[in-house]
Amino acid sequence: MWRTRAAAACVICRSLANSSYGIKRKSPLQNLHLISRSIHHPYYPSSKFQRPPLRISIQLFSSLNRLPLHKTKLLNVKYGYQFHRNFWLARLASRLLKLRYLILGSAVGGGYTAKKTYDQWKDMMPDLDEYKWIVPDFIWELDEHIDFEKLIKAIPDADELAKLLPDFDKIGESFTSLKGFFSPGYNLVSEVIGASDLLLLLGSPGETAFRATDQGYDNDKQYKKVSDKEKVDQLQEELLRTQLKYQRMLERLEKENKELRKLVLQRDDKGIHQSKLKKSLIDMYSEVLDILSDYDASYNTQDHLPRVVVVGDQSAGKTSVLEMIAQARIFPRGSGEMMTRSPVKVTLSEGPHHVALFKDSSREFDLTKEEDLAALRHEIEIRMRNSVKEGCTVSTETISLSVKGPGLQRMVLVDLPGVISTVTSGMAPDTKETIFSISKAYMQNPNAIILCIQDGSVDAERSIVTDLVSQMDPQGKRTIFVLTKVDLAEKNVASPSRIQQIIEGKLFPMKALGYFAVVTGKGNSSESIESIKEYEEEFFQNSKLLKTCMLKAHQVTTKNLSLAVSDCFWKMVRESVEQQADAFKATRFNLETEWKNNYPRLRELDRNELFEKAKNEILDEVISLSQVTPKHWEEILQKTLWERVSTHVIENIYLPAAQTMNSGTFNTTVDIKLKQWTDKQLPNKAVEVAWETLQEEFSRFMTEQKGKEHDDIFDKLKQAVKEESIKRHKWNERAEDSLRVIQHNALEDRSISDKQQWDAAIHFMEETLQSRLKDTESVIEDMVGPDWKKRWLYWIGRTKEQNIRNETKNELEKLIKCNEEHAAYLANDEVTTVRKNLEARGITVDPCLIKDTWHQIYRRYFLKTALNHCNLCRRGFYYYQRHFVDSELECNDIVLFWRIQRMLAITANTLRQQLTNTEVRRLEKNVKEVLEDFAEDNEKKVKLLTGKRVQLAEDLKKVREIQEKLEAFIEALHQEK
């Protein structure tokens, strides 16, 4: 049977070889017709053939040339070959060859793709020579038991494999002629070719398979149309199954690779090679961006370093896309309300554990635990709300977050607030303009990659962000378009071709580097990343958009999007980072030159260094409080306390007691008054005086200039530290109770031990009375006006009221002269007498004015009398020791002032001990706490340490740090290449 078929094939071959269309062919067997070449026979192994004209009753199409087709007669077949059996065999061979080329092309293409992906992974893998201990020893000894050279020799070489393949060039020439017959199949093959980049390996066999069909008789045309359509559908399904098969293989290899890298990183994390580990490349780059975000570009050095800027309309799915790339639900979410209120910079890097942490915090959030994910979302929401100023809806302050995990693509993304078209109630009036300005500020960076997110479930005409992106990147050289919610779009859109127009960039006016379609879940906020991935893969596997070739395989899923964005990001980084480093180098030179010209003798101290210097000075000044001598403390305390209580002692204790008739009554009144004063007012007054004294001394040390070494740049900081420290300081509450007992005991003592103390008491009393007399004389002078000497010398006159008071004063002085032992208060009849006497001279006086004038006149008279009594008591110490027995002299007022003086000395000594032993140390502690709080408050430091010198040093430090980190990053980048 097989010999008969072979013989028939040989006859066909000879017929084809012996006939021609006027062209001699010297090609070998591989140039024959597909049917003839697919059947090997031993009859003419090396003959040269010329193709005879086909003698069949219908017009045939030749796949080998483009000459016009002719109707030919039926071939005369010898050796008993039957016509119907000949073409039945040809059709069967055509179908078998079609399937073989399809499988062979798919296998070769899939193998090529797998090898290419494996080579890329192999380049990314670290050197594992030091981890051979992980692999069992028998693996390394396989070459001793298996002869791999024999296996290699047993595999056919490339030339022999090439002979089995068809002539792709010749078959490709006939492709355009058959395009109209099998356009669905052609479109599918073209899409697969474009997705896999295997034009040479997959394209030609597929085309050949579609075109290797035989057209027999006219009565078989209708059957062939139906069968060809079924073949195309079957072929489409076969291609999709093959693609999914290799996709699953790649995912399995990727998962194994991820596990291996995780194992390696974990071993390094435990310290095996920790000394060799360096900071990752993306972390170095992220640090530069963090510094630049805090840098005020006062010297026209703009930040043009690349980052991926995620923009889109509100609720378009920006955050969901970013979460899929980060492989964790890390952002707060809400139903239709604005959740992203400030830019969030997310740095993705590879690590052994899936964790997240903020730039300014050391806490790690385990993204595999739901409680940590909830805490992270809550922390992000709190930071967003805290960054928004009062009266605003969004903030320009950037929140920096790092996410590490196995298999994450390394890149830096910035999630921006969603673009809105209308300001709703509860929003600030300028919310829309603020969001636009934030988006433009990030997108106007010429090296920023714009990830434009468009909601596929809404009408394209409602898009706002596409117009904004087209303005910032009209040529689309750095824009990647992402269509989200494709599952909803496929259900809702009446014409699926509209989705194809969007992905092909024909619907929107904007241009882009690439277009992607993704699905980010079913809209349920509780969905996990794994469930979303499974749903996305299942959707695209069954989607008509992919089966009908409206979408290409490499344009779908967030995984492909992540790979494309990462490649684009690093390409942009490599192209622009060195230029940015040169720009900051030039800026550094300009700043250093400006510093040398303006501050040639000063070191370049930035704000933090200046704060540390000021902190040391303030602490030194606080320590100086402990160096104040006890004598100085006691003198200040005693003087200040007496100034505070002298008025009460004179007015409420001494003057009322002095009005008594005998010494017994005087002493009794004094004791009662002193006891009341000690119980209620004196201890509190003493503590107030001590606290004020401590403040004054502290302020004196803080504000005292130290000659040429004084730096006025610290004045505002010192004043703020002083005020805050005093505000926080509280005196010991038990001090008043202990002080009350001490003061009470001191005032009860009446025993003056020697003449020196007696004279000191007299001197203290005289100073006090003279001071009071001087004040009283001044008050009287203001009441009655200048005397006759000043009026003549300075030409100053008296007012009408002063004249009335002067006449009243004269009348009252006459009253005192008449009765030198007059009481301190005027009687009513005496007031009436003085008023009538003045009215007799034509002066009308109010009784209140008479009493007021009398108070000052009697006070002056009393003080003068008391001073004269002091002089008499200078020799009264002898009588005091005898308790004034047999003596008309009584000096009880001297004893009172001695008791007051001694109480002041004991109180000052007690307060001094409390100051030096307790309060100074507590104040020093408060100052340290205030300085620590100020050190952590950058806004406070910026407010208190200002000036051109500070700003210049700050800019110089930032630029120098940026340049150094950029150079280190560039060096690491070159090493990675």
Side-chain angles (χ1 to χ4, degrees), residues 285 292 302-307 444-448 576 580 584:
Y285 186 76
L292 283 172
Q302 297 182 357
D303 173 17
H304 288 167
L305 288 175
R307 70 262 283 162
Q444 70 184 2
N445 178 0
N447 297 320
S576 60
Q580 282 289 292
F584 280 103

Side-chain angles (χ1 to χ4, degrees), residues 424-435:
T424 59
S425 60
M427 291 185 178
D430 61 343
T431 301
K432 179 179 177 181
E433 291 75 14
T434 304
I435 294 176

Side-chain angles (χ1 to χ4, degrees), residues 129 158 248 252 364 435-436 496 531-532 549 591 670 713 744 746 784 804 814 858 869 944:
D129 292 340
R248 285 192 291 269
R252 181 175 57 81
E364 283 191 351
I435 294 176
F436 268 86
S531 63
I532 295 176
C549 305
L591 293 175
V670 166
I713 202 171
H744 183 72
V784 302
I804 294 174
K814 293 178 181 177
Y858 181 83
H869 184 70
L944 298 177

Side-chain angles (χ1 to χ4, degrees), residues 65 109 159 167 290 320 325 428 468 518 867:
N65 54 66
D159 296 335
D167 189 353
D290 288 336
S320 298
I325 295 176
L468 180 62
V518 299
L867 284 172

Side-chain angles (χ1 to χ4, degrees), residues 397-408:
E397 183 179 343
T398 303
I399 299 173
S400 183
L401 179 68
S402 295
V403 178
K404 298 181 180 181
L408 293 183

Side-chain angles (χ1 to χ4, degrees), residues 305-528:
L305 288 175
R307 70 262 283 162
V308 181
V309 180
V310 185
V311 295
D313 298 335
Q314 183 179 343
S315 301
K318 306 184 314 303
T319 302
S320 298
V321 171
L322 205 155
E323 286 181 335
M324 289 295 292
I325 295 176
Q327 299 182 16
R329 308 299 296 269
I330 58 177
F331 290 102
R333 54 188 61 87
S335 178
E337 62 176 317
M338 178 183 294
M339 297 304 299
T340 306
R341 298 180 177 270
S342 65
V344 181
K345 182 177 76 69
V346 182
T347 303
L348 300 181
S349 60
E350 194 171 16
H353 306 288
H354 203 187
V355 296
L357 65 158
F358 292 97
K359 177 187 71 173
D360 55 353
S361 175
S362 59
R363 178 187 176 183
E364 283 191 351
F365 296 87
D366 189 351
L367 302 183
T368 60
K369 298 179 180 179
E370 185 58 37
E371 55 269 19
D372 278 22
L373 280 171
L376 177 61
R377 291 192 291 265
H378 182 66
E379 180 68 19
I380 292 176
E381 185 175 3
I382 290 177
R383 287 174 179 259
M384 284 184 181
R385 295 189 182 278
N386 292 339
S387 65
V388 177
K389 298 180 180 179
E390 186 176 357
C392 300
T393 307
V394 294
S395 169
T396 59
E397 183 179 343
T398 303
I399 299 173
S400 183
L401 179 68
S402 295
V403 178
K404 298 181 180 181
L408 293 183
Q409 298 297 321
R410 302 177 302 168
M411 67 183 99
V412 177
L413 305 102
V414 181
D415 186 21
L416 300 181
V419 179
I420 60 175
S421 59
T422 305
V423 177
T424 59
S425 60
M427 291 185 178
D430 61 343
T431 301
K432 179 179 177 181
E433 291 75 14
T434 304
I435 294 176
F436 268 86
S437 63
I438 294 174
S439 302
K440 289 181 178 180
Y442 277 91
M443 289 191 292
Q444 70 184 2
N445 178 0
N447 297 320
I449 300 167
I450 303 173
L451 196 61
C452 179
I453 310 297
Q454 172 62 35
D455 189 348
S457 64
V458 299
D459 296 336
E461 290 76 13
R462 293 168 57 186
S463 175
I464 307 173
V465 71
T466 51
D467 294 335
L468 180 62
V469 172
S470 62
Q471 295 175 9
M472 306 307 296
D473 185 23
Q475 301 300 323
K477 295 182 179 180
R478 52 189 180 89
T479 300
I480 297 177
F481 182 88
V482 182
L483 185 67
T484 61
K485 306 178 184 179
V486 183
D487 53 341
L488 299 178
E490 187 181 30
K491 295 179 182 178
N492 301 333
V493 176
S495 176
S497 61
R498 192 172 178 84
I499 299 177
Q500 184 180 7
Q501 291 178 349
I502 295 175
I503 296 301
E504 291 178 352
K506 298 179 181 179
L507 189 60
F508 290 109
M510 58 172 289
K511 299 179 181 179
L513 283 173
Y515 296 82
F516 290 86
V518 299
V519 174
T520 56
K522 302 178 182 179
N524 187 359
S525 60
S526 61
E527 286 182 288
S528 65

Side-chain angles (χ1 to χ4, degrees), residues 12-13 16-17 19-21 23 25 27-37 49-52 54 60-69 101 166-178 208 211-212:
I12 296 172
C13 293
L16 293 175
S19 62
S20 65
Y21 299 100
I23 299 176
R25 296 184 178 272
S27 57
L29 183 63
Q30 65 179 1
N31 290 331
L32 292 178
H33 192 271
L34 177 63
I35 302 174
S36 176
R37 189 172 37 133
F49 298 97
Q50 291 184 353
R51 182 176 181 177
L54 297 175
L60 295 177
F61 179 83
S62 173
S63 62
L64 301 177
N65 54 66
R66 299 181 182 274
L67 295 177
L69 303 177
Y101 293 147
D167 189 353
F168 300 139
D169 297 333
K170 295 298 182 180
I171 296 174
E173 292 176 358
S174 61
F175 176 72
T176 55
S177 300
L178 293 176
T208 304
R211 290 157 182 77

